[in-house]
Amino acid sequence: RNTLLDAWAKAVAGEGTYDPAKMLTDMGHTIQNSYKTTFQTAPVTLDWLNTSSQSDTEITVNTVEGLIEYNNLGQMMPALAESWEISEDGLTYTFNIRKGVKWFTSEGAEYAELTAKDFVAGMHHMLDTKAGLEFLVDGVIAGVSEYLNGGTFDEVGYVATDDYTLTVTLTQPTTYF
């Protein structure tokens, strides 16, 4: 553990790279390619946009890839968005969706290509379920408050401007966004 922590600290300081899998295999450990877990309470749903329950999200959080993610050094990196821009006023985020990402059925058959419209559909679904997650974007993304109070989704600042571009408009600059 201390060897891994030391290597991580050096990589964060710019002194080399951090590859824990290689370090562990070099030390004789075996890396598995499956994820196993136990839980006290069975999940009610695996629809992670339709729940705010820990027993549900505890499992699904490890199976979802975001637009951007943090790497093992705490640096923000592209994920499903290959790049992004933030407007000068901090109100508009434009995500360029990585091409060639595929959806698959539960049987492993290719279903469709991922597009910006899929992210919009996910946001729409999350707001419609009213499962306790909408507070995360209410008052943050433009038009969400109005939509939750009877407006139309067309007013929500979460738009696929083309197949591979997602534009998010905020109500005010929000540092944690």
Side-chain angles (χ1 to χ4, degrees):
R1 181 175 185 270
N2 289 337
T3 302
L4 289 171
L5 289 173
D6 290 343
W8 180 83
K10 287 178 182 174
V12 169
E15 302 169 16
T17 60
Y18 179 64
D19 186 348
K22 181 173 180 350
M23 290 177 68
L24 289 169
T25 55
D26 287 350
M27 289 188 236
H29 296 280
T30 304
I31 305 297
Q32 299 295 318
N33 63 358
S34 60
Y35 176 75
K36 297 177 184 176
T37 186
T38 58
F39 45 87
Q40 263 185 311
T41 306
V44 173
T45 180
L46 295 179
D47 179 355
W48 70 284
L49 296 173
N50 187 19
T51 184
S52 57
S53 167
Q54 180 184 356
S55 63
D56 297 337
T57 59
E58 185 176 343
I59 295 170
T60 57
V61 72
N62 293 305
T63 64
V64 176
E65 187 169 11
L67 289 166
I68 56 176
E69 295 179 350
Y70 287 93
N71 67 10
N72 60 6
L73 300 177
Q75 301 160 330
M76 197 177 299
M77 304 294 292
L80 290 176
E82 61 187 5
S83 63
W84 63 95
E85 299 85 38
I86 305 169
S87 64
E88 279 189 42
D89 63 5
L91 295 178
T92 305
Y93 287 66
T94 304
F95 297 95
N96 302 299
I97 307 302
R98 186 167 21 116
K99 295 178 182 172
V101 176
K102 305 293 183 184
W103 286 104
F104 291 87
T105 67
S106 61
E107 290 81 30
E110 186 178 309
Y111 177 73
E113 185 167 359
L114 177 76
T115 69
K117 292 175 187 172
D118 295 319
F119 290 94
V120 175
M123 175 64 73
H124 199 170
H125 172 63
M126 186 269 293
L127 293 174
D128 283 353
T129 64
K130 297 184 180 174
L133 296 176
E134 58 279 3
F135 82 93
L136 295 169
V137 294
D138 188 9
V140 175
I141 295 178
V144 167
S145 295
E146 293 79 0
Y147 179 67
L148 293 173
N149 289 303
T152 66
F153 190 79
D154 294 340
E155 301 170 22
V156 175
Y158 208 83
V159 178
T161 52
D162 63 43
D163 282 347
Y164 299 102
T165 309
L166 175 68
T167 303
V168 181
T169 305
L170 305 182
T171 59
Q172 61 188 358
T174 308
T175 56
Y176 62 82
F177 185 83

